[in-house]
Structure formats: structure tokens, C-alpha cells
């Protein structure tokens, strides 16, 4: 790998994820200090959107930590970090609506969400074992073992890629629901979008890193076979 290629690779692997994390934390911090004009807490925002979509069986629960918000499809629960659950900030409303977006996807059996759920077991296995298999394959000079590791890693990368449309779609649903129900108004639309866009960057960065790691091992595998 040449110096230029190494610098690009290093930037993608390390700098871009760090930048994305900083971006989302900065946006969240800024807009968590701005109160929503509706005065609604994150819990109220989530409950209203859920009820407006007939999802009365989906609960809204507080969870400890910061930015630990998520939707649990098994428990049918939207879980919001305590700051977002009890607070009434623009950021909290945006995060709550985004997680409800996943609940709506689940109820409508959104194709990419279903596909991502199906990938979870193989993606987890690939994430946990692929690197070990790859290292073992390179150490022992077994190209077949390296190829197996690449296949397992590819499954984990596919999961990262499928996550992108799932997250973007949830954010799109969040914006639509918040605007149509009057939860946000005027300039709050721009502020809300900034929070959602910043959060999306973390998924884009993760996908880039995953793809670059896979490409690196594929090139190493090709080089290994060429040497033979």
C-alpha cells in the first residue's frame, strides 16, 4: 500500500468516525438546550406519534445513559434516554420521533428493516469471528481460511450497508410525523433536520469503515494468491 493510499485509508478508518461522533454530539448538545415550541417532552412526542399511527401496543420507556435511545422490536418498546424522555428540547423531540419511525417501520414490515433483522445472527457471528479466522489464515498461509473469513466479514458489512436505508427512512418518517402533527414549527424544522442528519453521519462513517476493512482484506487475499 502506497503512502497516499495509506493516508486515505487511515483517514477513513480513524478520522472520519471521530469527526462523525463529534458532529452528532455537538448537534445534540446544542439543540438539547433549545426548548421545543410545543413544550412536549420526548415521551409525549413519542406517545403522540405512536397513537396517531394506531400503535397503542408500543410502550415508551426511559432508559439510563446518554444517546442510548432505541426501539426494541421484541418488546415493542421505544426506549428514550432519561434526558430525552423527560426533557422538552428540540433534540429530544427529534430523537424520540426517529425511534418511533423504527416502530412504524416494524408495524408496516418495512423490507429493509426485516432484512436487517434477518441478518443479525450471521452479522454478529461474522463480526465476532471473521478477524480471528483471517489472522489464522494469514499466519498459516491458508488462502481458503482467509476466504472464509472474508465471507463472514462480508456478512457483517452487508448489515452495516442495510442499516443505512433503515436509518434514513426512520429520519424521513420522523420529520414527516413531526411536521404533519404540528410538533415542530417554522425554524424548528431546520434545527430538527440538523440533529437527524448529524446522527445519520455516524451510520455512514461506520459503513465506510466496514467497506474499507473488507476491501483491505480482499486485496491482501488477492496478493496472497498472486504470491502463490
Amino acid at each position: 500500500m502506497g503512502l497516499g493510499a495509506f493516508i486515505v485509508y487511515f483517514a477513513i478508518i480513524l478520522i472520519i468516525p471521530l469527526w462523525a461522533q463529534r458532529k452528532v454530539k455537538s448537534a445534540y448538545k446544542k439543540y438539547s438546550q433549545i426548548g421545543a415550541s410545543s413544550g412536549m417532552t420526548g415521551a409525549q412526542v413519542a406517545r403522540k406519534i405512536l397513537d396517531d399511527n394506531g400503535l397503542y401496543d408500543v410502550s415508551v420507556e426511559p432508559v439510563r445513559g446518554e444517546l442510548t435511545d432505541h426501539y426494541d422490536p421484541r418488546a415493542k418498546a421505544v426506549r428514550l434516554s432519561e434526558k430525552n424522555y423527560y426533557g422538552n428540547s428540540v433534540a429530544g423531540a427529534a430523537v424520540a420521533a426517529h425511534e418511533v419511525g423504527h416502530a412504524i417501520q416494524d408495524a408496516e414490515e418495512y423490507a429493509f428493516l426485516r432484512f436487517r433483522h434477518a441478518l443479525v445472527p450471521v452479522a454478529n457471528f461474522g463480526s465476532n469471528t471473521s478477524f480471528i479466522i483471517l489472522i489464522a489464515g494469514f499466519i498459516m498461509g491458508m488462502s481458503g481460511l482467509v476466504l472464509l473469513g472474508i465471507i463472514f466479514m462480508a456478512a457483517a458489512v452487508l448489515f452495516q450497508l442495510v442499516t443505512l436505508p433503515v436509518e434514513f427512512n426512520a429520519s424521513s418518517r420522523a420529520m414527516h410525523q413531526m411536521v404533519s402533527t404540528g410538533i415542530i414549527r417554522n425554524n424548528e424544522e431546520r434545527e430538527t433536520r440538523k440533529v437527524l442528519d448529524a446522527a445519520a453521519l455516524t451510520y455512514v462513517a461506520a459503513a465506510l469503515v466496514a467497506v474499507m476493512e473488507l476491501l483491505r482484506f480482499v486485496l491482501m487475499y488477492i496478493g496472497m494468491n498472486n504470491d502463490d
Side-chain angles (χ1 to χ4, degrees):
M1 181 181 290
L3 180 59
F6 177 79
I7 292 174
V8 172
Y9 175 78
F10 179 78
I12 293 175
I13 293 297
L14 183 60
I15 298 176
I16 290 180
L18 291 175
W19 172 77
Q21 285 291 337
R22 182 178 179 182
K23 192 80 173 175
V24 68
K25 288 182 179 179
S26 175
Y28 178 76
K29 181 179 180 180
K30 179 179 179 179
Y31 294 110
S32 64
Q33 296 172 356
I34 299 176
S37 60
S38 65
M40 297 173 67
T41 65
Q44 291 171 330
V45 168
R47 187 71 269 159
K48 176 173 176 52
I49 298 176
L50 286 168
D51 290 349
D52 285 352
N53 286 271
L55 301 180
Y56 308 107
D57 60 329
V58 178
S59 62
V60 182
E61 306 168 357
V63 64
R64 291 183 178 180
E66 183 174 88
L67 294 177
T68 50
D69 314 78
H70 63 280
Y71 169 65
D72 185 343
R74 292 169 298 181
K76 300 297 180 185
V78 170
R79 299 198 174 107
L80 305 175
S81 56
E82 292 178 339
K83 186 174 183 179
N84 292 334
Y85 185 93
Y86 296 107
N88 63 346
S89 69
V90 170
V95 172
H98 175 87
E99 298 309 330
V100 173
H102 287 308
I104 297 174
Q105 289 175 336
D106 188 25
E108 295 181 356
E109 298 189 348
Y110 179 59
F112 281 109
L113 183 68
R114 285 282 174 262
F115 187 32
R116 187 175 73 167
H117 287 168
L119 285 173
V120 169
V122 67
N124 286 340
F125 182 79
S127 296
N128 295 329
T129 63
S130 61
F131 192 73
I132 297 174
I133 295 173
L134 284 165
I135 295 301
F138 284 119
I139 291 175
M140 294 185 288
M142 298 175 61
S143 61
L145 195 58
V146 172
L147 179 59
L148 181 62
I150 288 174
I151 292 172
F152 286 146
M153 179 176 283
V157 171
L158 180 60
F159 179 84
Q160 294 280 2
L161 293 176
V162 172
T163 293
L164 294 179
V166 172
E167 296 300 330
F168 285 128
N169 180 263
S171 289
S172 177
R173 291 171 186 266
M175 282 298 302
H176 173 72
Q177 292 292 330
M178 295 178 80
V179 171
S180 64
T181 57
I183 293 174
I184 57 174
R185 304 179 183 90
N186 303 324
N187 65 315
E188 288 179 323
E189 290 185 34
R190 179 174 58 85
E191 295 170 345
T192 300
R193 193 174 297 281
K194 284 186 177 181
V195 175
L196 295 173
D197 287 349
L201 281 177
T202 60
Y203 295 102
V204 173
L208 275 174
V209 169
V211 169
M212 289 302 295
E213 278 286 86
L214 178 62
L215 180 60
R216 180 167 70 97
F217 282 112
V218 168
L219 292 176
M220 290 173 66
Y221 170 73
I222 294 172
M224 183 183 187
N225 285 334
N226 287 340
D227 290 341
D228 293 341

